[in-house]
Amino acid sequence: MKNRRIKVVVCGVAGRMGSAVTDCFQAAEGVEVTYGVERKDHPDVGGNLKGVPIVGDLSSAIEDADCIVDFTGPSFTDELVKEGKARRKSLVIGTTNLSAGSMGAISDASKSIPIVLSPNMSPAMNVLLKIVPDVARTLSKGFDISIVETHHRWKKDSPSGTARKLGQILKDITNSEPQVKSLRIGGVVGEHVVTFAGEGEVLKLVHSALSRQAFAFGALLAVKFAVEANPGLYGMSDVLKMR
Ligand code: NAD
């Protein structure tokens, strides 16, 4: 991989994230987007996006690919995991709201291929995920904990995958469910606020994604990691070497 560009297929290429990923990857060195995959009935199939051919057939698109990036919906992710495992391709999965069954299939496939899975690929958000346990351990007594997440009006899942992940981390540490609120308003790319409220003071940890570039850049780092990795299931903490 050292002397040639990494060939990437972007699934959900005509969507908000797929389009941001394509922009980011095309501007990056060492990576080329060879195909974009869309629903077979999508009007852009047969055309191209920023010079990238858009196809409806995953199987032929991934023939020469080194890595496949997924920002679609859960049913497509299931198909991709099957295909990726059969064809021994590394995968970067950003799609959220995956069922327990899908997670099981991902875990099983990761025994034979490298998979990076993260509901939030933004590097700064992953730093927040790393520091939250320390804060929760210190402030677990006498503080109420809440998570408020705000996203654009088109986001399908609620609460966000990131809010659910934060909630699980907090529950594991404090043994109680944090209050979680979701807002779906306007074009907000993504904001998560974790509040630790005591009687005399309040600590807020805030992450705001200012554009989808934050997630796309994380996906780029994940691709570069995945193509060099051994089979296994990885998160952004592995990609960012935060362990
Ligand atoms: P979107 O609706 O704008 O785009 C999804 C695209 O996937 C659409 O173009 C759709 O046609 C395509 N698609 C759906 N089913 C398909 C199928 N069966 N085959 C091929 N293409 C298919 O959504 P979005 O805002 O781009 O988000 C996509 C996913 O990424 C969501 O699950 C979202 O929560 C997640 N997301 C993850 C991160 C992260 O950092 N991990 C960041 C933002 C969004």
Side-chain angles (χ1 to χ4, degrees):
M1 211 66 64
K2 289 263 183 295
N3 298 318
R4 67 170 181 85
R5 293 199 290 173
I6 301 165
K7 292 182 176 173
V8 181
V9 169
V10 176
C11 302
V13 69
R16 286 175 285 266
M17 272 311 300
S19 168
V21 164
T22 304
D23 281 344
C24 172
F25 284 26
Q26 287 194 319
E29 286 192 5
V31 174
E32 78 178 284
V33 182
T34 51
Y35 287 100
V37 175
E38 262 301 335
R39 288 183 282 110
K40 287 188 175 52
D41 61 347
H42 194 284
D44 292 349
V45 166
N48 73 80
L49 176 81
K50 298 151 190 160
V52 175
I54 304 182
V55 298
D57 178 26
L58 173 68
S59 183
S60 59
I62 68 174
E63 186 92 33
D64 292 334
D66 300 306
C67 187
I68 305 145
V69 175
D70 170 38
F71 286 95
T72 56
S75 63
F76 177 82
T77 304
D78 290 346
E79 185 188 335
L80 172 63
V81 169
K82 253 189 236 153
E83 196 76 23
K85 182 183 169 190
R87 310 278 286 279
R88 302 262 163 173
K89 302 289 181 184
S90 59
L91 308 180
V92 169
I93 300 175
T95 299
T96 59
N97 208 19
L98 302 174
S99 67
S102 303
M103 295 298 290
I106 288 171
S107 170
D108 180 55
S110 73
K111 290 176 190 144
S112 46
I113 54 171
I115 302 180
V116 178
L117 172 73
S118 172
N120 193 318
M121 294 195 176
S122 124
M125 182 71 221
N126 282 280
V127 173
L128 191 149
L129 285 163
K130 184 173 163 60
I131 62 178
V132 154
D134 272 351
V135 179
R137 268 189 285 274
T138 310
L139 301 183
S140 60
K141 300 268 179 298
F143 283 76
D144 296 325
I145 308 177
S146 69
I147 300 165
V148 179
E149 58 100 350
T150 310
H151 282 88
H152 51 87
R153 60 170 76 108
W154 304 281
K155 184 165 177 62
K156 292 188 180 120
D157 50 330
S158 174
S160 68
T162 308
R164 276 185 275 128
K165 187 164 183 170
L166 281 164
Q168 189 59 52
I169 292 171
L170 290 164
K171 187 180 168 198
D172 289 347
I173 289 170
T174 62
N175 288 322
S176 64
E177 298 271 0
Q179 298 177 49
V180 181
K181 283 249 178 304
S182 300
L183 299 173
R184 294 289 172 265
I185 49 174
V188 178
V189 174
E191 183 177 82
H192 291 85
V193 183
V194 184
T195 302
F196 297 82
E199 287 187 13
E201 59 178 341
V202 170
L203 175 66
K204 287 183 187 229
L205 303 177
V206 181
H207 177 265
S208 300
L210 304 179
S211 80
R212 290 181 179 82
Q213 185 67 22
F215 311 120
F217 179 65
L220 177 65
L221 299 179
V223 165
K224 291 184 173 178
F225 173 92
V227 295
E228 300 291 346
N230 291 321
L233 182 55
Y234 302 98
M236 287 305 287
S237 58
D238 300 298
V239 173
L240 298 168
K241 299 185 174 38
M242 291 195 309
R243 283 182 202 280

